[in-house]
Coordinates of all heavy atoms in Angstrom, one line a residue:
M1020 N 13.0 26.9 14.2 CA 11.7 26.4 14.1 C 10.7 26.8 15.2 O 9.6 27.3 14.9 CB 11.8 24.9 14.0 CG 10.5 24.2 13.6 SD 10.3 24.4 11.9 CE 8.6 24.0 11.8
K1021 N 11.2 26.8 16.4 CA 10.4 27.2 17.5 C 10.0 28.7 17.4 O 8.9 29.1 17.7 CB 11.1 26.9 18.9 CG 11.1 25.5 19.3 CD 11.6 25.3 20.7 CE 11.6 23.9 21.0 NZ 12.2 23.6 22.3
W1022 N 11.0 29.5 16.9 CA 10.7 30.9 16.8 C 9.6 31.1 15.7 O 8.6 31.9 16.0 CB 11.9 31.7 16.3 CG 11.6 33.1 16.0 CD1 11.5 34.1 16.9 CD2 11.4 33.7 14.7 NE1 11.2 35.3 16.2 CE2 11.1 35.0 14.8 CE3 11.3 33.1 13.4 CZ2 10.8 35.9 13.8 CZ3 11.1 34.0 12.3 CH2 10.8 35.3 12.5
L1023 N 9.6 30.4 14.6 CA 8.5 30.5 13.6 C 7.2 30.1 14.2 O 6.1 30.6 13.9 CB 8.8 29.6 12.4 CG 9.9 30.1 11.5 CD1 10.3 29.1 10.5 CD2 9.6 31.4 10.8
L1024 N 7.2 29.1 15.1 CA 5.9 28.5 15.6 C 5.4 29.4 16.8 O 4.2 29.3 17.1 CB 6.2 27.1 16.2 CG 6.4 26.1 15.1 CD1 6.9 24.8 15.7 CD2 5.2 25.9 14.2
T1025 N 6.2 30.3 17.3 CA 5.8 31.1 18.4 C 5.6 32.6 18.1 O 5.0 33.3 18.8 CB 6.7 31.1 19.6 OG1 8.0 31.4 19.2 CG2 6.7 29.6 20.2
D1026 N 6.2 33.1 17.0 CA 6.1 34.5 16.6 C 4.7 34.7 16.0 O 4.2 34.0 15.2 CB 7.2 34.8 15.5 CG 7.2 36.3 15.2 OD1 6.3 36.7 14.4 OD2 8.1 36.9 15.7
P1027 N 4.0 35.7 16.5 CA 2.7 36.0 16.1 C 2.5 36.2 14.6 O 1.4 36.0 14.0 CB 2.3 37.3 16.8 CG 3.3 37.6 17.9 CD 4.5 36.7 17.5
R1028 N 3.6 36.7 13.9 CA 3.6 36.8 12.5 C 3.5 35.6 11.7 O 3.1 35.5 10.6 CB 4.7 37.7 12.0 CG 4.6 39.2 12.7 CD 5.9 39.9 12.4 NE 6.9 39.2 13.2 CZ 8.2 39.7 13.3 NH1 8.5 40.7 12.6 NH2 9.0 39.0 14.0
T1029 N 4.0 34.5 12.3 CA 4.2 33.3 11.5 C 3.5 32.0 12.1 O 3.4 31.0 11.5 CB 5.7 32.9 11.3 OG1 6.3 32.9 12.6 CG2 6.4 33.9 10.4
A1030 N 3.1 32.2 13.4 CA 2.6 31.0 14.1 C 1.3 30.4 13.4 O 1.2 29.1 13.5 CB 2.2 31.4 15.6
S1031 N 0.5 31.1 12.7 CA -0.7 30.5 12.1 C -0.3 29.7 11.0 O -1.2 28.8 10.5 CB -1.6 31.7 11.7 OG -1.0 32.4 10.7
L1032 N 0.9 29.7 10.4 CA 1.3 28.9 9.3 C 1.3 27.3 9.7 O 1.3 26.5 8.8 CB 2.6 29.3 8.8 CG 2.8 30.7 8.2 CD1 4.1 31.0 7.8 CD2 1.8 30.7 7.0
V1033 N 1.3 27.1 11.0 CA 1.2 25.7 11.4 C -0.1 25.0 10.9 O -0.1 23.8 10.8 CB 1.4 25.5 12.9 CG1 0.2 25.9 13.7 CG2 1.8 24.1 13.3
H1034 N -1.1 25.8 10.7 CA -2.4 25.3 10.2 C -2.6 25.5 8.7 O -3.7 25.2 8.2 CB -3.5 26.0 11.0 CG -3.4 25.9 12.4 ND1 -3.5 24.6 13.1 CD2 -3.0 26.7 13.4 CE1 -3.3 24.8 14.4 NE2 -3.0 26.1 14.6
S1035 N -1.5 25.9 8.0 CA -1.6 26.1 6.5 C -1.0 24.9 5.8 O 0.1 24.5 6.1 CB -0.9 27.4 6.1 OG -1.5 28.5 6.7
G1036 N -1.7 24.4 4.8 CA -1.2 23.3 4.1 C -1.0 22.0 5.0 O -1.9 21.7 5.8
A1037 N 0.0 21.3 4.8 CA 0.3 20.1 5.5 C 1.8 20.0 5.9 O 2.5 19.2 5.4 CB -0.1 18.9 4.7
P1038 N 2.2 20.8 6.9 CA 3.6 20.8 7.2 C 4.1 19.5 7.9 O 5.2 19.1 7.7 CB 3.7 22.0 8.2 CG 2.4 22.2 8.8 CD 1.4 21.8 7.7
V1039 N 3.2 18.8 8.5 CA 3.7 17.5 9.1 C 3.9 16.5 8.0 O 4.9 15.8 8.0 CB 2.7 17.0 10.1 CG1 3.0 15.6 10.6 CG2 2.5 17.9 11.3
G1040 N 3.1 16.6 7.0 CA 3.3 15.7 5.8 C 4.6 15.9 5.1 O 5.3 14.9 4.8
W1041 N 4.9 17.2 5.0 CA 6.2 17.5 4.4 C 7.4 17.0 5.3 O 8.4 16.5 4.8 CB 6.3 19.0 4.1 CG 7.7 19.4 3.5 CD1 8.7 20.0 4.1 CD2 8.1 19.1 2.1 NE1 9.8 20.1 3.2 CE2 9.4 19.5 2.0 CE3 7.5 18.4 1.1 CZ2 10.1 19.4 0.8 CZ3 8.2 18.2 -0.1 CH2 9.5 18.7 -0.2
A1042 N 7.3 17.3 6.6 CA 8.3 16.8 7.5 C 8.5 15.3 7.4 O 9.6 14.8 7.4 CB 8.0 17.3 8.9
C1043 N 7.4 14.6 7.3 CA 7.5 13.1 7.3 C 8.0 12.6 5.9 O 8.8 11.7 5.9 CB 6.1 12.5 7.5 SG 5.7 12.7 9.3
Y1044 N 7.6 13.3 4.9 CA 8.1 13.0 3.5 C 9.7 13.2 3.5 O 10.4 12.4 2.8 CB 7.5 13.9 2.5 CG 8.0 13.6 1.1 CD1 7.6 12.5 0.3 CD2 8.9 14.5 0.5 CE1 8.1 12.3 -0.9 CE2 9.4 14.3 -0.8 CZ 8.9 13.2 -1.5 OH 9.4 13.0 -2.8
T1045 N 10.2 14.2 4.2 CA 11.6 14.4 4.2 C 12.4 13.8 5.3 O 13.6 13.9 5.5 CB 11.9 15.9 4.2 OG1 11.3 16.5 5.4 CG2 11.3 16.6 2.9
G1046 N 11.6 13.0 6.1 CA 12.3 12.2 7.2 C 12.6 13.1 8.5 O 13.5 12.7 9.2
R1047 N 12.0 14.2 8.6 CA 12.2 15.1 9.7 C 11.2 14.8 10.9 O 10.4 15.6 11.1 CB 12.2 16.5 9.3 CG 13.1 16.9 8.1 CD 14.5 17.0 8.6 NE 15.3 17.8 7.7 CZ 15.9 17.4 6.6 NH1 15.6 16.2 6.2 NH2 16.7 18.2 5.9
V1048 N 11.4 13.7 11.5 CA 10.4 13.3 12.6 C 10.4 14.3 13.8 O 9.4 14.6 14.3 CB 10.7 11.9 13.0 CG1 9.8 11.5 14.2 CG2 10.5 10.9 11.9
E1049 N 11.6 14.8 14.2 CA 11.6 15.8 15.2 C 10.9 17.0 14.9 O 10.2 17.6 15.8 CB 13.0 16.0 15.7 CG 13.8 14.9 16.3 CD 13.0 14.3 17.5 OE1 12.5 15.1 18.4 OE2 12.8 13.1 17.6
I1050 N 11.0 17.5 13.6 CA 10.2 18.7 13.2 C 8.7 18.3 13.2 O 7.9 19.2 13.6 CB 10.7 19.1 11.8 CG1 12.1 19.5 11.8 CG2 9.7 20.2 11.2 CD1 12.5 20.8 12.7
A1051 N 8.4 17.1 12.8 CA 7.0 16.8 12.8 C 6.4 16.7 14.2 O 5.3 17.3 14.5 CB 6.8 15.4 12.1
R1052 N 7.2 16.2 15.1 CA 6.7 16.2 16.5 C 6.5 17.6 17.1 O 5.6 17.9 17.7 CB 7.8 15.6 17.4 CG 7.7 14.0 17.5 CD 8.6 13.5 18.6 NE 8.5 12.1 18.6 CZ 9.4 11.3 18.1 NH1 10.5 11.8 17.5 NH2 9.2 10.0 18.1
L1053 N 7.4 18.5 16.7 CA 7.4 19.9 17.1 C 6.1 20.6 16.5 O 5.4 21.2 17.3 CB 8.7 20.6 16.8 CG 8.8 22.1 17.3 CD1 8.8 22.1 18.8 CD2 10.1 22.7 16.8
L1054 N 5.9 20.3 15.3 CA 4.7 20.9 14.6 C 3.5 20.5 15.3 O 2.6 21.2 15.6 CB 4.7 20.5 13.2 CG 5.7 21.2 12.3 CD1 5.9 20.5 11.0 CD2 5.3 22.7 12.1
V1055 N 3.4 19.2 15.6 CA 2.2 18.6 16.3 C 2.0 19.2 17.7 O 0.9 19.6 18.1 CB 2.2 17.1 16.3 CG1 1.2 16.5 17.3 CG2 2.0 16.5 14.9
S1056 N 3.1 19.4 18.4 CA 3.1 20.0 19.7 C 2.6 21.4 19.7 O 2.0 21.9 20.7 CB 4.4 19.9 20.4 OG 5.3 20.9 19.9
Y1057 N 2.6 22.1 18.6 CA 2.1 23.4 18.4 C 0.8 23.5 17.7 O 0.4 24.5 17.2 CB 3.2 24.4 17.7 CG 4.3 24.8 18.7 CD1 5.4 24.1 18.9 CD2 4.1 26.0 19.4 CE1 6.3 24.5 19.8 CE2 5.1 26.4 20.2 CZ 6.2 25.7 20.5 OH 7.2 26.1 21.3
G1058 N 0.2 22.3 17.6 CA -1.2 22.3 17.0 C -1.4 21.9 15.6 O -2.5 21.8 15.1
A1059 N -0.3 21.5 14.9 CA -0.5 21.0 13.5 C -1.1 19.6 13.5 O -0.8 18.9 14.4 CB 0.9 21.0 12.8
S1060 N -1.9 19.3 12.6 CA -2.5 18.0 12.4 C -1.6 17.1 11.7 O -1.1 17.4 10.6 CB -3.8 18.1 11.7 OG -4.3 16.8 11.4
S1061 N -1.4 15.9 12.2 CA -0.5 14.9 11.6 C -1.3 14.2 10.4 O -0.8 13.5 9.7 CB 0.0 13.8 12.5 OG -1.1 13.0 13.0
H1062 N -2.6 14.5 10.4 CA -3.5 13.9 9.3 C -3.7 14.9 8.2 O -4.3 14.5 7.2 CB -4.8 13.4 9.9 CG -4.7 12.3 10.9 ND1 -4.7 11.0 10.5 CD2 -4.5 12.3 12.2 CE1 -4.6 10.2 11.6 NE2 -4.4 11.1 12.7
A1063 N -3.3 16.1 8.3 CA -3.6 17.1 7.3 C -2.9 16.8 6.0 O -1.8 16.2 5.9 CB -3.2 18.5 7.7
T1064 N -3.6 17.0 4.9 CA -3.0 16.9 3.5 C -3.4 18.1 2.7 O -4.0 19.0 3.2 CB -3.6 15.5 2.9 OG1 -2.8 15.3 1.7 CG2 -5.0 15.6 2.6
D1065 N -2.9 18.1 1.6 CA -3.0 19.3 0.7 C -3.2 18.9 -0.7 O -2.4 18.1 -1.2 CB -1.8 20.3 0.9 CG -2.0 21.6 0.2 OD1 -2.6 22.5 0.8 OD2 -1.4 21.7 -0.9
D1066 N -4.1 19.5 -1.4 CA -4.3 19.1 -2.8 C -3.2 19.6 -3.7 O -2.7 18.9 -4.5 CB -5.7 19.7 -3.3 CG -6.0 19.3 -4.7 OD1 -5.8 18.1 -5.0 OD2 -6.4 20.2 -5.5
A1067 N -2.8 20.8 -3.5 CA -1.8 21.4 -4.4 C -0.5 20.7 -4.4 O 0.1 20.5 -5.4 CB -1.6 22.9 -4.1
M1068 N 0.0 20.3 -3.2 CA 1.3 19.7 -3.1 C 1.3 18.2 -3.1 O 2.1 17.5 -3.6 CB 2.0 20.1 -1.8 CG 2.5 21.5 -1.9 SD 3.4 22.0 -0.4 CE 4.9 21.0 -0.6
Y1069 N 0.2 17.6 -2.6 CA 0.2 16.1 -2.4 C -1.0 15.4 -3.0 O -1.1 14.2 -2.8 CB 0.2 15.8 -0.8 CG 1.2 16.6 -0.1 CD1 0.8 17.5 0.9 CD2 2.5 16.4 -0.3 CE1 1.8 18.1 1.7 CE2 3.5 17.1 0.4 CZ 3.1 18.0 1.4 OH 4.0 18.7 2.1
S1070 N -1.8 16.1 -3.8 CA -3.0 15.5 -4.4 C -3.8 14.8 -3.3 O -4.3 13.7 -3.6 CB -2.6 14.5 -5.5 OG -2.0 15.2 -6.5
H1071 N -3.8 15.3 -2.1 CA -4.6 14.8 -1.0 C -4.1 13.4 -0.5 O -4.8 12.7 0.1 CB -6.1 14.8 -1.3 CG -6.7 16.1 -1.2 ND1 -6.8 16.9 -0.1 CD2 -7.2 16.9 -2.2 CE1 -7.4 18.0 -0.3 NE2 -7.6 18.0 -1.6
R1072 N -2.9 13.0 -0.8 CA -2.3 11.8 -0.3 C -2.0 12.1 1.2 O -1.4 13.0 1.6 CB -1.1 11.4 -1.1 CG -1.4 10.9 -2.5 CD -0.3 10.3 -3.2 NE 1.0 11.0 -3.1 CZ 1.5 12.0 -3.9 NH1 0.7 12.6 -4.8 NH2 2.7 12.5 -3.7
P1073 N -2.3 11.1 2.0 CA -2.1 11.3 3.5 C -0.6 11.2 3.8 O 0.2 10.6 3.0 CB -2.8 10.1 4.1 CG -2.9 9.1 3.0 CD -3.0 9.8 1.8
P1074 N -0.2 11.8 4.9 CA 1.2 11.9 5.3 C 1.9 10.5 5.4 O 3.1 10.3 5.0 CB 1.2 12.5 6.7 CG 0.0 13.4 6.6 CD -1.0 12.7 5.8
L1075 N 1.2 9.4 5.8 CA 1.8 8.1 5.9 C 2.1 7.6 4.5 O 3.2 7.0 4.3 CB 0.8 7.2 6.5 CG 1.3 5.7 6.7 CD1 2.5 5.7 7.5 CD2 0.2 4.9 7.4
L1076 N 1.3 7.9 3.5 CA 1.6 7.4 2.1 C 2.8 8.3 1.6 O 3.7 7.8 0.9 CB 0.4 7.6 1.2 CG 0.5 7.1 -0.2 CD1 1.0 5.7 -0.2 CD2 -0.8 7.3 -0.9
L1077 N 2.9 9.5 1.9 CA 4.0 10.4 1.5 C 5.3 9.8 2.1 O 6.3 9.7 1.3 CB 3.8 11.8 1.9 CG 2.6 12.6 1.3 CD1 2.5 13.9 2.0 CD2 2.8 12.8 -0.2
A1078 N 5.3 9.5 3.3 CA 6.5 9.0 3.9 C 6.9 7.7 3.3 O 8.1 7.4 3.0 CB 6.3 8.8 5.4
A1079 N 5.9 6.8 3.0 CA 6.2 5.5 2.4 C 6.7 5.7 1.0 O 7.7 5.0 0.6 CB 4.9 4.7 2.3
E1080 N 6.2 6.6 0.2 CA 6.7 6.9 -1.1 C 8.1 7.3 -1.2 O 8.8 7.1 -2.2 CB 5.8 8.0 -1.8 CG 4.5 7.5 -2.2 CD 3.6 8.7 -2.7 OE1 4.0 9.9 -2.7 OE2 2.5 8.4 -3.2
N1081 N 8.6 7.9 0.0 CA 10.0 8.4 0.0 C 10.9 7.5 0.9 O 11.9 7.9 1.3 CB 10.0 9.8 0.5 CG 11.2 10.6 0.0 OD1 11.8 10.3 -1.0 ND2 11.7 11.5 0.8
A1082 N 10.4 6.3 1.2 CA 11.1 5.4 2.0 C 11.6 5.9 3.4 O 12.6 5.6 3.8 CB 12.2 4.8 1.2
Q1083 N 10.7 6.7 4.0 CA 11.0 7.3 5.4 C 10.4 6.4 6.4 O 9.3 6.7 7.0 CB 10.5 8.7 5.4 CG 11.1 9.6 4.4 CD 12.7 9.8 4.6 OE1 13.2 9.6 5.7 NE2 13.3 10.1 3.5
L1084 N 11.1 5.3 6.8 CA 10.5 4.3 7.7 C 10.4 4.9 9.1 O 9.4 4.6 9.8 CB 11.5 3.1 7.7 CG 11.5 2.3 6.4 CD1 12.5 1.2 6.5 CD2 10.2 1.9 5.9
E1085 N 11.3 5.8 9.6 CA 11.1 6.4 10.9 C 9.9 7.2 11.0 O 9.1 7.2 11.9 CB 12.4 7.2 11.3 CG 12.3 7.7 12.6 CD 13.6 8.6 13.0 OE1 14.6 8.5 12.3 OE2 13.5 9.2 14.0
S1086 N 9.6 8.0 9.9 CA 8.4 8.8 9.8 C 7.2 7.9 9.8 O 6.2 8.2 10.5 CB 8.4 9.6 8.5 OG 9.5 10.6 8.5
M1087 N 7.2 6.8 9.0 CA 6.1 5.9 9.0 C 5.8 5.3 10.4 O 4.7 5.3 10.8 CB 6.3 4.8 8.0 CG 6.4 5.3 6.6 SD 6.9 3.9 5.4 CE 5.5 2.8 5.7
R1088 N 6.9 4.9 11.1 CA 6.7 4.3 12.4 C 6.1 5.4 13.4 O 5.2 5.1 14.1 CB 8.1 3.9 12.9 CG 8.0 3.5 14.5 CD 9.3 3.2 15.0 NE 9.5 1.8 14.9 CZ 10.6 1.2 15.1 NH1 11.7 1.8 15.4 NH2 10.7 -0.2 15.2
W1089 N 6.6 6.6 13.4 CA 6.0 7.7 14.2 C 4.6 7.9 13.9 O 3.8 8.0 14.9 CB 6.8 9.0 14.0 CG 6.3 10.1 14.8 CD1 6.5 10.3 16.1 CD2 5.6 11.2 14.3 NE1 5.8 11.4 16.5 CE2 5.3 12.0 15.4 CE3 5.1 11.6 13.0 CZ2 4.6 13.2 15.3 CZ3 4.4 12.8 12.9 CH2 4.1 13.5 14.1
L1090 N 4.2 8.0 12.7 CA 2.8 8.3 12.3 C 1.9 7.1 12.7 O 0.8 7.4 13.2 CB 2.7 8.5 10.8 CG 3.2 9.8 10.2 CD1 3.4 9.7 8.7 CD2 2.3 10.9 10.6
V1091 N 2.3 5.9 12.6 CA 1.5 4.8 13.0 C 1.5 4.6 14.5 O 0.4 4.5 15.2 CB 2.0 3.5 12.3 CG1 1.3 2.3 12.9 CG2 1.7 3.6 10.8
E1092 N 2.7 4.5 15.2 CA 2.8 4.2 16.6 C 2.4 5.4 17.5 O 1.8 5.1 18.5 CB 4.1 3.7 16.9 CG 4.5 2.3 16.3 CD 5.8 1.8 16.6 OE1 6.6 2.6 17.3 OE2 6.1 0.7 16.1
E1093 N 2.8 6.6 17.1 CA 2.5 7.7 18.0 C 1.3 8.6 17.6 O 0.7 9.3 18.5 CB 3.8 8.6 18.1 CG 4.9 7.9 18.8 CD 6.1 8.7 19.0 OE1 6.0 9.9 19.3 OE2 7.3 8.2 18.8
Q1094 N 1.0 8.6 16.4 CA -0.1 9.4 15.9 C -1.3 8.7 15.5 O -2.4 9.3 15.1 CB 0.4 10.3 14.7 CG 1.5 11.3 15.1 CD 1.0 12.3 16.1 OE1 0.0 12.9 15.9 NE2 1.7 12.3 17.3
G1095 N -1.3 7.4 15.6 CA -2.5 6.5 15.3 C -3.0 6.4 13.8 O -4.1 6.1 13.6
H1096 N -2.0 6.6 12.9 CA -2.4 6.5 11.5 C -2.6 5.0 11.2 O -1.9 4.1 11.7 CB -1.3 7.1 10.6 CG -1.3 8.5 10.6 ND1 -1.5 9.3 9.5 CD2 -1.1 9.4 11.6 CE1 -1.4 10.6 9.8 NE2 -1.1 10.7 11.1
D1097 N -3.6 4.7 10.3 CA -3.8 3.4 9.9 C -2.9 2.9 8.9 O -2.8 3.5 7.8 CB -5.3 3.3 9.4 CG -5.8 1.9 9.2 OD1 -4.9 0.9 9.1 OD2 -6.9 1.7 8.9
I1098 N -2.1 1.8 9.2 CA -1.1 1.3 8.2 C -1.8 0.8 6.9 O -1.1 0.7 5.9 CB -0.3 0.3 8.9 CG1 1.0 -0.1 8.1 CG2 -1.1 -1.0 9.1 CD1 2.0 1.0 8.1
R1099 N -3.0 0.5 7.0 CA -3.7 0.0 5.8 C -4.3 1.1 4.9 O -5.2 0.9 4.1 CB -4.9 -0.9 6.3 CG -4.4 -2.1 7.0 CD -5.5 -2.8 7.7 NE -6.0 -1.9 8.7 CZ -6.7 -2.3 9.7 NH1 -6.9 -3.5 9.9 NH2 -7.1 -1.4 10.7
T1100 N -3.7 2.3 5.1 CA -4.2 3.5 4.3 C -4.0 3.1 2.8 O -3.0 2.7 2.3 CB -3.3 4.7 4.6 OG1 -3.6 5.0 5.9 CG2 -3.7 5.8 3.7
V1101 N -5.1 3.2 2.0 CA -5.0 2.9 0.6 C -5.4 4.2 -0.1 O -6.4 4.8 0.2 CB -6.0 1.7 0.3 CG1 -6.0 1.5 -1.2 CG2 -5.6 0.5 1.1
R1102 N -4.7 4.4 -1.2 CA -5.0 5.5 -2.1 C -4.8 5.1 -3.5 O -3.9 4.5 -3.8 CB -4.1 6.8 -1.8 CG -4.6 7.6 -0.8 CD -5.8 8.5 -1.3 NE -6.0 9.5 -0.3 CZ -6.9 10.4 -0.4 NH1 -7.7 10.4 -1.5 NH2 -7.1 11.2 0.5

């Protein structure tokens, strides 16, 4: 993962789509943390994959409680997110 985030040929992908949302949906909090440390937004969403649902809602839909906790406690997401 670090190689993908630091290689000039792939590093810009951190800003494409919503990689943190996918990491949270799949319960990969350490990957989400790493993505954020390289500049990815924990608030980014994507129409094609998520119909603009926020990462917190994606994590909730897949019962990823650790991801939800990280988004709320460390990334400042609003637990009252309504969609």
Side-chain angles (χ1 to χ4, degrees):
M1020 189 72 198
K1021 285 184 182 180
W1022 175 80
L1023 289 171
L1024 293 169
T1025 57
D1026 188 279
R1028 297 168 294 180
T1029 55
S1031 66
L1032 294 175
V1033 75
H1034 303 292
S1035 297
V1039 175
W1041 181 253
C1043 289
Y1044 178 78
T1045 59
R1047 306 284 202 279
V1048 176
E1049 290 306 315
I1050 296 295
R1052 275 191 182 101
L1053 186 61
L1054 287 163
V1055 167
S1056 76
Y1057 280 87
S1060 170
S1061 71
H1062 294 273
T1064 187
D1065 185 80
D1066 183 44
M1068 288 184 69
Y1069 311 120
S1070 299
H1071 287 294
R1072 292 188 317 273
L1075 182 59
L1076 185 56
L1077 294 172
E1080 288 175 354
N1081 205 28
Q1083 297 297 334
L1084 298 178
E1085 186 181 347
S1086 295
M1087 293 173 64
R1088 171 186 263 169
W1089 177 74
L1090 287 166
V1091 171
E1092 293 179 357
E1093 294 183 38
Q1094 295 298 303
H1096 288 239
D1097 188 348
I1098 193 72
R1099 297 169 293 205
T1100 297
V1101 177
R1102 274 282 192 181

